[in-house]
Amino acid sequence: MVLPKFEYLAPTTLDEAMQLYNELGSGAKIMAGGTDIIPPMRDKAPGSKCDFLIDIKHVPGLDYIEYDEKQGLKIGCLTKLYDIQTSKLVREKNPAVAQAAKYVASTQIRHKGTMVGNICNASPSCDTAPILISCGAVAKVHGRDADRDLPLGEFFKGVKKTNLEPGEIVTGLVIPPLAEDECAAYIKFSVRKAMDLAIVGVAAWLKMDGKKVVDARITLGAVAITPVRAYNAEKALIGNEISDELLQKVGVAAMSDCKPISDVRASAEYRHDMVRVFTKRAIMKALEGYKEGEI
Amino acid sequence: MNKFADKEYFRKPEDFRLISSTESKYTHVDAYEKVTGKAKYAGDFMAPNMLTAKVLHSPISRGRILSIDTSKAEALPGVKGVLTGKDFPIRITEDIEILCQGQVRMVGDPVVAVCAISEEIAEQALELIDVQYEEMPGVYDPWESIKDGAPDVQGYGYDNHNIGPTCHQQGSNDGKDIDEEFEKAAYVQHEDFKTHRIQHAPIEPHATFAEYDPEKDEWTVHQSTTMSFGDQFWLAHGFQKDVSHFHIIRPYVGGAFGSKSNWPYSEFIACEFARRTLRPVRFVQTREEEFQTMHGRHPFQIHIDTAFAEDGTILAKKADQIMDGGAYGVSHSQYAAVNLSVIWCAFPYKIDAIDFRSRRILTNTAEGGAMRGYTACQVQFAHDVNMQLAAERMGIDPIEFRKRSAMEPGYHSPAGLIVTSCSFKETLDDAAKFMRWEERKDKMGNGEGIGFAGTAFVSGTAAPVLNTPNQVQTNATVRVDLHGVVSLYSNCHDNGQGADTVMTAIVAEELGLNMNEVKLIQPSTFDSGYDSGAYGSRVTFLGGNAVRRAAVDAKRQILEVIGAKWGCEPHLLDIIDHNIICRDMGKTDLKMSWAEAVYATMLTHGGDEVVGVGSYYHRTNNAQYQGKPSNYAPSYVFSTGACHLFVDQETGQIDIDEFFFAHDCGRALNKRAVEAQLEGSIYSGLGYAVYEELKINDKGRMMNPNFRDYRMITALDMPHITTKFDYAPDPEGPFGAKECGEGTTAPIAPAVANAIHNATGLMIHELPLDPEHIWRLLKEQGLQKDHK
């Protein structure tokens, strides 16, 4: 299969990129790593066509991993998944984010693909979205007239659709710090250990007071048109002490929070039950924490 | 076959220099080219003016072609030709059209071909073609297909109820009556099994680079193939010419696994475009074309009735098997599928009364065909799980149970099979020992299990595919030039399995040379002799014997000259490490260098070069083609697979901790390659057992013909593997070798199934064993907690 013809543009400043993106309109796409842009174009997948590809890889200052005591982890839009997966800082401050990065595709693809790109592609089975939503992450959005912060929980609109306005570019992510009494985990369930799409993915963020759950955010991936919060599961969890019975209950509650479909990878029935199983496991994993060298 | 050479010169003492050596002098002859990317595959060939060919496929599973409008495509600048079914008014192997002539029979059937100056323009041209179909209801299940009133899958008007080749074998030893055996049985078991559809998915798709010379009326075709003489034969048939017009060159082949023992539409199309345009034409099939049109593994439905004696030995067995053949293959060309699937029922046990029937049924789905372990993976999955269940129900240890009926050297099966070398029991013992079965069997935790499976396979076949004198399988030539440099002319098809290496090693071993002193002539149908192809696990055994005979024939000519000079019997001479030596008592100090000996021989022969020829065929009759018992192969191999795993009882996902594989391949000629073949067998066997499945929807459309949704195993999914393969050499195989790497795929799925059964108590009758399937079984059957 041959890649269709398109104009390749490589701006070297964010302003230049913005200008091109706004001038060229809907025929243009922003590309960072390109791993979700180029293969569908070659396969002539619906919605993949574009006349202008604006490669922002050459814009300086957008590849960073930083940590701020107040704001938390900051990740640039050109920061590669592999760098996030292997970052000591990320592993120390929020290992679930490093784990989510590692779940994406393969080592080769993670050397090119970025976390922001993974988010902007807005696939229902997106591996990095659930943990970002659960952790209350915010996308730094650069617009023509103004910049804004878009919470990840409000980022997704549908399959391959986001709530970005035309001409807006995501320049980075900010993930709030985990306090002493907070913990988080993400588990992806797939048949293969790499190069596979999630059957379900579950992220859990918890605020604890001893054995009691003070607050919780559970996010489910691959079981609706966008990643979705499991509000019923959260409701069942908050204010209660962790026990096997509670986890069973929470798992069952999570099943009512999603609308999985049957496709070639799994049936809706199976996905439903796996939401139950992996909601429990994600909560347990968050409480247990990640060991050194685990990711 | 040179009987004299057989008799006098094959008694080589086992002081091998290369055979079974793992030292660096045994080199993989094409490793450097492949690792550095220098190796050229068919799709790498390019030439100025080259055109690219592409095909438009049927989007429906069954229907009539009402009209084809190619005018817009033809008008597109850069398009150099368009072909439709009327340009190929022939059928190959009875029922296959190059491009459909009025009717389509499966999604993916080739309908229109284009060629253009670039791949991009060819793709654009396909989009401009308008084909109107009258869609007709298709049939996608073999049991539905054979019902009265079912749609005629092919529409050729054959009165066959969509039933293709059938093989029915009945027989017994010592006049036993099968019904009586069933009556006197202590235990009779009835089981049903079902297997799924997968595809070979070689990294290199089928590819053709075709050139046509109008002066000679001759095609030169670089083809990714494992059966180049088949390509030559069918191209000649397709173009209504004799074979002398087709020079088929086989470049490096990037994997085949059975898929390239065919004659794909792409090569006919490339050749026809080359003839019409007088320009080189390249056709590289897409991955989707590979999945949809290159005949993957047949789905099977299998019913087995088995009669056991009190002690667990098998008294008699009946099997009724149907396979989903897809839309093509009514003719004899698919007879091997049914014939082999009957033979596997008889393996690897002594069964003195048999009644086995296999039928290949047509449906409007992708055609089934040969794939690594041709029908053995399906049939032996069923028949081994059948053994496991019987062992358990009769309260006998599964290893002991299998050993009680295990084939032994000298056993004659009523299926016609004559067992020569056989170390099946040893492989079972080794597997039990490795898994510490005796010690662990009663101590495993919940969800933990160990499973064993024993299978057998042919080492070569009787069928040379084309009609050959004496059913000869391979013709090889070894030529020695005046400097002593040896050239091997052999078409033994290397598809990545290492045929080029092992043939070079056989000649070097026989002539006492280093491997780099034997030059393998890059094979083609005009450059060297007939070889029927890389299929049926025949290359090392049948091709290797032919090559060895050619080397021995050259050696004989030299030793006769030197023997006469020394006054010794020539067969008492040998060539060891570049020297002719004498094994005759009292003359062991005689010695002459290889180069000197070659020179002396040519001098004696008036300057003629030394040329040795060799051939090989399997000494059997052709009763197998009439469905009658015959000794299908010159030798048989036996394997035991063993698997230790854990089952996640909530998700159904398995975690394989350890896989052990014991394979009786006689003497391993290239140990590193054998080890890699066994590991590769576990790779593809596990893919079949757990990960890979081609799904067909209710319209006969393949749902996942791509590597995103068709799950090939990744490195991370592979378990820890241990292999063992040092068993008794085979008396007939070259230097004692037998099959390795094809049938070895068969015991994987049953070993995994038996381990899951051991871990959970689940009754498994269907593949694949993917998490959702196990989860469903856990829901349906419940966890059998007290099963141990």
Side-chain angles (χ1 to χ4, degrees), chain A residues 191-221:
Chain A
V191 176
R192 286 192 294 199
K193 292 195 178 113
M195 293 298 295
D196 210 351
L197 298 178
I199 287 176
V200 303
V202 183
W205 172 92
L206 304 169
K207 188 176 182 65
M208 303 295 293
D209 178 8
K211 285 192 94 179
K212 200 171 138 194
V213 182
V214 178
D215 197 3
R217 287 193 291 268
I218 312 285
T219 310
L220 313 174

Side-chain angles (χ1 to χ4, degrees), chain A residues 49-86:
Chain A
K49 200 177 168 309
C50 82
D51 303 320
F52 301 95
L53 208 49
I54 304 168
D55 184 351
I56 56 169
K57 259 199 295 296
H58 307 283
V59 176
L62 296 176
D63 178 0
Y64 55 85
I65 299 173
E66 288 161 11
Y67 186 74
D68 179 301
E69 293 292 340
K70 273 191 191 146
Q71 288 181 288
L73 271 172
K74 297 177 180 181
I75 293 172
C77 67
L78 294 182
T79 308
K80 294 181 176 61
L81 288 156
Y82 186 80
D83 294 336
I84 299 166
Q85 161 200 338
T86 53

